[in-house]
Amino acid sequence: MAKFFQEFREFAVKGNVVDMAVGIIIGGAFTLIVQSLVADVMNPLIGLLVGGVDFSNLFVVLRQGVVAGPYATLGDAQAAGAVTLNVGLFINAVVSFTIVAFVVFLLVRTINRLKREEAVAPASPTEQPCPYCLMVVPIKATRCGHCTAALPSSEASAEPLSSQATETPVAK
């Protein structure tokens, strides 16, 4: 039983679990900000553009409640027990989703750009072809292990092969 709790503790404190928990908490806080942006900023502006419509009170009565309508607000209709189709709340949810999706897109796009910039430079080569037999040999080798030719030093390899002092390969 103690081993079970030890395994659970190791799982719970792993970086991925903690990162996920932080992401969920920040996501919850971000959702509140987006809901406020939609309800308090976007909807009044959109309502003003389309003639003063308050989306949060845009609904269709499907069945009258105990007290017959018309109902001025969605709250009045729900208080009367009316069955309503809440079109305005759906529009608010769509606008909220669009904003969240756009922000997540920008976040992922930025992270991907940063990852591309972090790309590691290619490692220096560890092997080179022998200039005589073209077999691959370690870059620090002084003789080819295949044809036994003396290999040019790394400083001399910057010069053209014709100007280097070369040793003819020994036949096996």
Side-chain angles (χ1 to χ4, degrees), residues 68-126:
Y71 307 106
T73 65
L74 178 61
D76 293 343
Q78 289 175 339
V83 177
T84 59
L85 185 64
N86 304 326
V87 178
L89 295 178
F90 178 74
I91 292 172
N92 286 351
V94 169
V95 170
S96 294
F97 171 77
T98 304
I99 291 171
V100 169
F102 182 71
V103 169
V104 169
F105 165 74
L106 291 177
L107 181 68
V108 169
R109 184 174 176 235
T110 303
I111 289 170
N112 286 341
R113 280 188 179 173
L114 291 174
K115 283 184 179 179
R116 273 186 246 132
E117 290 174 4
E118 290 177 358
V120 179
S124 58
T126 59

Side-chain angles (χ1 to χ4, degrees), residues 118-138:
E118 290 177 358
V120 179
S124 58
T126 59
E127 297 177 330
Q128 66 179 348
C130 171
Y132 305 106
C133 68
L134 300 179
M135 297 297 290
V136 177
V137 294

Side-chain angles (χ1 to χ4, degrees), residues 7 21 42 52 88 102 112 117 127-128 139-141 143 157:
E7 286 179 31
M42 300 292 287
F102 182 71
N112 286 341
E117 290 174 4
E127 297 177 330
Q128 66 179 348
I139 201 151
K140 293 184 178 182
R143 285 198 172 272
S157 64

